Amino acid sequence: MSVSPNPSPAAKPPLLTAAQALEHLLKNPVPVTETEIVSTQDALGRVLAEDLLSKVDVPPLDNTSMDGYAVATQDIKTSGVILKVDQRIPAGSVGHALKPNTIARIFTGAPIPAGSDAVVMQEDCVVQERKDFVQVNAVPSPGQWIRRRGEDLSVGKLALSAGTFLRPQQLGVAASAGYAQLKVKRKVKVAAFFTGDELSLPGEPLKPGGIYNSNRDTLLGLVRSLGCEATDYGIVPDRLEATREALRTASLEHDLIITSGGVSVGEEDHIKPAVSAEGRLDLWQIGIKPGKPLAFGAVRRADNPSKEAWFIGMPGNPVSSFVTFILFVRPFILKLQGRSDLMPPSFMVRADFDWLKPDRRNEFLRVRMNHQGGLDLFPNQSSGVLTSAAWGDGLLDCPAGQGFKKGDMVRYIPFSGLLS
């Protein structure tokens, strides 16, 4: 009697690329729809919920961009002409029409008087002994140093689009367009908890074999830097029921639940079975380094099982957690906020080091731009060395299986474009 050999195990499916994983994540969230009215001063870091049309012309009148003298160019055909100063116009006041063969002393921001068509800088003028006369030592051209009415914004012109992330300069535009209050999207609500019996909070005594939880401050800081409302559920014990309970609690009032740790396949890694029990898990591992373990799915709301809170589980290693947040969680949150600028800015920069042993996964190296305009590499690229992210000012995106030599152009993703 013959015995059939054991069938070979099915081949593992290939890991998703970073682009495939991001595409999968971004097709899921629907932007929040609830809005609120806040003062323009309090709108920093919020997302605009409606188009803003300017209520006024900006500037409201033709005005000067320089301290100097408002003139009629027809009166100054040659350098050295001496003219009488007929009036003085500081900012905030309106002068009278310019008389022939006279000029007006004018200060930055003041309206241009009728009859004048240019401004001569005070540096090009010499006040005479009779101080009501000035010698003009430059021949002006029509329109010189004049800011035209409505050249920035005109009444009814789009000042800011819905979905704009409001930075200080956007608040200034809104104010100049006449808005004291703005309609903004409500803040996206993000819950975070962290797994690992080895973790302690800074200020507590370390457990035997323990470490301080750095991911808590990193991830909550990243969430808040995006203008979200963050809830910290702290450290959850490495037990399945404790993890399920944390998910149920976090699902009640939040749009998104993020976790750090417990997303691998060890006996103490409970995120995968917990999410599967409380909802669904759609995505598991990504072909990137650092950050291979990444979980995506949803958790049924404990108070209304027909609704869900999104879930993204990140690795426990601090650099892996940091990198997966900025590459995947950040654009997901931006989509929930209704923003359009989802993809991180990047550009090609010269590498000032060799990388000759590429990984089979897409690597994201911690680098810093040097004074010569090239990129330097942090010497220790371990996923546990968070100082590499603090030292660096961006990531170098190294495609799977591709190395490079010193002097090659590589894709650089600066942190400055990721943390807002």
Side-chain angles (χ1 to χ4, degrees):
M1 179 178 179
S2 62
V3 178
S4 300
N6 292 328
S8 60
K12 292 183 179 180
L15 298 177
L16 291 177
T17 66
Q20 290 170 332
L22 188 58
E23 180 182 10
H24 181 80
L25 262 69
L26 293 183
K27 71 182 181 183
N28 285 280
V30 175
V32 299
T33 56
E34 299 90 341
T35 62
E36 58 181 324
I37 303 296
V38 300
S39 72
T40 300
Q41 287 190 351
D42 292 332
L44 183 67
R46 304 298 294 272
V47 176
L48 193 62
E50 62 182 2
D51 290 346
L52 289 191
L53 304 182
S54 184
K55 298 180 180 182
V56 294
D57 290 330
V58 183
L61 295 169
D62 291 357
N63 69 87
T64 175
S65 62
M66 290 284 178
D67 289 348
Y69 296 86
V71 302
T73 54
Q74 64 183 9
D75 294 336
I76 308 172
K77 300 298 185 182
T78 61
S79 176
V81 172
I82 297 176
L83 296 171
K84 183 177 181 180
V85 179
D86 179 61
Q87 57 184 305
R88 185 178 186 273
I89 312 173
S93 64
V94 178
H96 57 75
L98 198 66
K99 297 175 182 178
N101 294 306
T102 67
I103 58 177
R105 180 70 166 118
I106 197 167
F107 298 87
T108 302
I112 299 297
S116 63
D117 61 352
V119 171
V120 180
M121 291 190 299
Q122 62 186 22
E123 292 88 342
D124 292 329
C125 299
V126 177
V127 177
Q128 303 299 289
E129 288 186 11
R130 289 184 57 187
K131 296 188 181 302
D132 54 345
F133 283 86
V134 167
Q135 179 176 310
V136 180
N137 293 326
V139 178
S141 56
Q144 175 178 293
W145 304 122
I146 294 178
R147 296 182 290 213
R148 294 300 181 186
R149 174 178 179 172
E151 73 173 31
D152 189 1
L153 292 170
S154 56
V155 173
K157 181 180 178 181
L158 180 66
L160 295 170
S161 300
T164 297
F165 180 74
L166 296 171
R167 299 172 293 172
Q169 55 267 49
Q170 277 80 23
L171 299 186
V173 169
S176 71
Y179 287 86
Q181 295 182 316
L182 299 175
K183 180 184 285 189
V184 296
K185 295 287 188 76
R186 71 156 173 84
K187 291 186 176 183
V188 170
K189 299 176 181 180
V190 181
F193 66 85
F194 309 86
T195 65
D197 287 342
E198 76 280 9
L199 298 177
S200 295
L201 295 179
E204 298 176 348
L206 277 177
K207 305 170 185 177
I211 58 173
Y212 285 124
N213 182 7
S214 62
N215 289 347
R216 174 174 176 261
D217 292 285
T218 301
L219 295 180
L220 289 172
L222 287 166
V223 168
R224 289 168 179 147
S225 76
L226 297 177
C228 297
E229 184 179 306
T231 304
D232 176 18
Y233 285 94
I235 300 169
V236 174
D238 277 335
R239 295 191 296 274
L240 178 59
E241 186 51 43
T243 306
R244 291 184 62 177
E245 177 60 28
L247 290 170
R248 288 192 292 267
T249 302
S251 73
L252 293 174
E253 299 290 340
H254 297 91
D255 305 294
L256 172 65
I257 303 168
I258 62 172
T259 64
S260 172
V263 293
S264 193
V265 292
E267 294 179 4
E268 300 300 323
D269 295 318
H270 300 298
I271 290 295
K272 183 176 181 180
V275 176
S276 297
E278 298 295 332
R280 55 190 171 85
L281 198 61
D282 298 336
L283 189 64
W284 188 234
Q285 293 184 330
I286 313 298
I288 67 170
K289 181 181 180 182
K292 178 183 175 184
L294 182 73
F296 171 70
V299 176
R300 292 184 300 273
R301 294 191 186 275
D303 58 342
N304 187 348
S306 65
K307 295 184 178 181
E308 297 176 321
W310 294 110
F311 171 82
I312 302 179
M314 289 165 283
N317 281 323
V319 180
S320 300
S321 181
F322 175 75
V323 169
T324 51
F325 185 98
I326 59 180
L327 293 180
F328 301 109
V329 182
R330 176 185 179 273
F332 190 87
I333 288 175
L334 299 191
K335 183 75 177 289
L336 283 175
Q337 292 175 326
R339 290 171 61 174
S340 56
D341 53 334
L342 304 183
M343 306 314 296
S346 65
F347 50 95
M348 302 304 289
V349 179
R350 184 188 72 248
D352 283 350
F353 61 94
D354 294 327
W355 193 254
L356 304 179
K357 295 182 179 179
D359 195 88
R360 60 185 179 86
R361 290 175 286 165
N362 186 177
E363 295 182 275
F364 291 90
L365 309 175
R366 276 74 69 207
V367 294
R368 183 165 71 184
M369 187 172 288
N370 57 42
H371 293 302
Q372 293 72 45
L375 297 177
D376 294 330
L377 178 74
F378 191 79
N380 189 337
Q381 291 289 312
S382 168
S383 60
V385 179
L386 189 56
T387 49
S388 66
W391 173 90
D393 57 18
L395 300 175
L396 187 159
D397 181 356
C398 183
Q402 294 186 27
F404 53 84
K405 294 182 179 181
K406 182 177 180 179
D408 288 348
M409 301 298 287
V410 293
R411 181 176 178 240
Y412 169 67
I413 307 171
F415 291 151
S416 60
L418 293 166
L419 305 182
S420 63

